[in-house]
Amino acid sequence: MNVTTDWCDLYNYHGVIVGDGFESQFAPQRFAILKTDPDGIQNEKYFFNTHVENCIENSEEMAKVMRMSNAKGLRYTFGWRFIQWSKGDTLSFPEDRRRSNQYFTDNGLTILDCLNQFPINVDFPKTPEEEAEYLNAIGIIVKNMPEDTLFEIWNEPWVNLMTQGVDNPDADTFARFTKITAEKIKEVRPDAKVGIYSAHGMDRKDTFSSFQTGMSSEHKPWENADAFAFHPYRRDAYELSNMATEVIPKWVNEFKKYGKDDIELWYTEAGYSLIESAIGKEEIKAAFNTRKYLYLQGLDLVDLYSTY
């Protein structure tokens, strides 16, 4: 069967065979067009997770390869620490990162910037002076990133490693932190899309309780959010779990409580990396990632999907 289309997406196929005195129908089948030619139509929802800082000298070649994959763009971490490594250093946007970003832009790729990490010896802002310093850094980053950059606030807030020594920051603190960051992004670039929470451990009661507390706080972290970002890692098949049918919808419903019915769903970390030897060959990892994307797409549970 040959299909002509302008979009890489999911489609329904319903076949009917009519013969002399009989008619037979196939049950509707879902099929996907993920890729056309090496310089074909971008899949508007598909991103790659990268660590550009580890190979920034190869950004030009990286951008070309990503373009040939027909992905929409890439997600990476670029926060305060990348423009001021430690307390007291001069605050400035690095030129090597500016060049790197230009390579991606020139190849039609959109950047999703995870605003993670503070400078060495800097914790969550606690005083008005620290808060002003933090917001100044965020403003510089947002102003100097490409125009179509998407922004994600923090990364897995209930993981001690990710919050740089702050052991499970309380819900109120994190909600306020999310609020002031989103407000600063919108102040500098009103049309920028902002994803919040980057939730993980989504089937745990403690993380969901913290999330609910923050969402219902006086800070209203959802107010300037365009998307809910989440990382529902699992090693089993999504089709055999309740993650897509119950867990993710439960978290999304918290946004709907506050009138955010149109919140976008950003699955900003999916899949497994090269070090996940238990998964086996790279072909198996690719199949796992692709199947999960198709399954979530079929349930309308993903507006952006970024995989390792």
Side-chain angles (χ1 to χ4, degrees):
M1 179 179 67
N2 293 319
V3 177
T4 301
T5 177
D6 291 330
W7 298 102
C8 299
D9 210 334
L10 281 180
Y11 296 89
N12 281 314
Y13 171 60
H14 183 203
V16 179
I17 299 176
V18 179
D20 187 13
F22 77 94
E23 178 178 305
S24 178
Q25 297 193 34
F26 293 102
Q29 300 293 318
R30 296 283 258 173
F31 70 95
I33 297 177
L34 292 180
K35 183 176 170 62
T36 51
D37 57 72
D39 194 19
I41 305 161
Q42 278 186 317
N43 186 319
E44 294 291 326
K45 299 181 181 181
Y46 207 97
F47 283 63
F48 288 113
N49 278 301
T50 64
H51 289 277
V52 174
E53 68 276 9
N54 295 332
C55 51
I56 197 164
E57 69 279 2
N58 296 323
S59 295
E60 185 174 12
E61 185 63 25
M62 186 190 306
K64 291 177 181 177
V65 171
M66 286 188 179
R67 176 183 60 79
M68 289 190 292
S69 76
N70 298 327
K72 176 63 175 176
L74 66 156
R75 173 183 181 261
Y76 62 58
T77 295
F78 185 74
W80 186 0
R81 180 181 291 187
F82 289 92
I83 64 171
Q84 187 181 39
W85 183 249
S86 62
K87 191 76 170 176
D89 289 348
T90 301
L91 196 68
S92 62
F93 197 90
E95 289 304 312
D96 60 348
R97 185 61 68 126
R98 196 187 306 278
R99 287 192 300 272
S100 174
N101 289 344
Q102 192 61 53
Y103 291 137
F104 297 126
T105 299
D106 289 347
N107 280 277
L109 298 166
T110 297
I111 295 170
L112 169 58
D113 180 12
C114 181
L115 293 166
N116 191 9
Q117 297 188 335
F118 294 165
I120 296 172
N121 299 324
V122 174
D123 205 338
F124 270 72
K126 293 184 176 66
T127 67
E129 292 76 20
E130 290 173 343
E131 188 172 302
E133 191 173 6
Y134 164 70
L135 292 176
N136 181 37
I138 294 297
I140 290 174
I141 293 170
V142 174
K143 181 180 178 181
N144 284 277
M145 291 296 288
E147 285 293 328
D148 63 346
T149 300
L150 309 173
F151 295 96
E152 182 180 355
I153 298 175
W154 209 247
N155 182 58
E156 302 183 358
W158 299 289
V159 175
N160 190 31
L161 171 66
M162 298 299 181
T163 48
Q164 299 174 222
V166 181
D167 191 12
N168 296 328
D170 67 89
D172 191 77
T173 297
F174 192 77
R176 188 180 72 83
F177 173 88
T178 301
K179 169 190 169 68
I180 64 173
T181 307
E183 286 179 343
K184 186 63 179 181
I185 294 170
K186 295 289 188 178
E187 175 191 319
V188 176
R189 193 167 289 174
D191 295 331
K193 285 191 174 183
V194 177
I196 67 170
Y197 270 96
S198 305
H200 62 100
M202 295 176 68
D203 49 2
R204 286 168 36 188
K205 292 182 179 179
D206 58 339
T207 53
F208 184 66
S209 175
S210 177
F211 171 68
Q212 283 185 305
T213 301
M215 289 286 282
S216 62
S217 72
E218 63 178 336
H219 307 299
K220 301 179 182 178
W222 41 265
E223 200 164 40
N224 284 297
D226 301 287
F228 169 44
F230 53 97
H231 305 166
Y233 279 113
R234 294 188 74 94
R235 288 179 179 268
D236 55 350
Y238 259 45
E239 304 94 311
L240 303 179
S241 75
N242 68 339
M243 183 59 73
T245 55
E246 297 177 24
V247 178
I248 295 174
K250 180 175 73 171
W251 286 66
V252 174
N253 284 338
E254 291 300 307
F255 284 90
K256 293 182 178 180
K257 284 183 182 178
Y258 304 103
K260 304 292 285 191
D261 294 327
D262 59 347
I263 197 78
E264 291 189 7
L265 305 181
W266 292 0
Y267 194 148
T268 54
E269 278 192 29
Y272 295 95
S273 66
L274 296 174
I275 63 173
E276 298 275 2
S277 58
I279 304 302
K281 296 180 180 180
E282 295 308 301
E283 290 81 359
I284 296 176
K285 298 175 188 177
F288 181 88
N289 291 339
T290 303
R291 185 178 67 181
K292 185 188 297 184
Y293 172 71
L294 294 176
Y295 181 63
L296 294 171
Q297 176 83 324
L299 295 174
D300 292 325
L301 284 177
V302 60
D303 295 294
L304 184 153
Y305 182 86
S306 189
T307 182
Y308 277 108

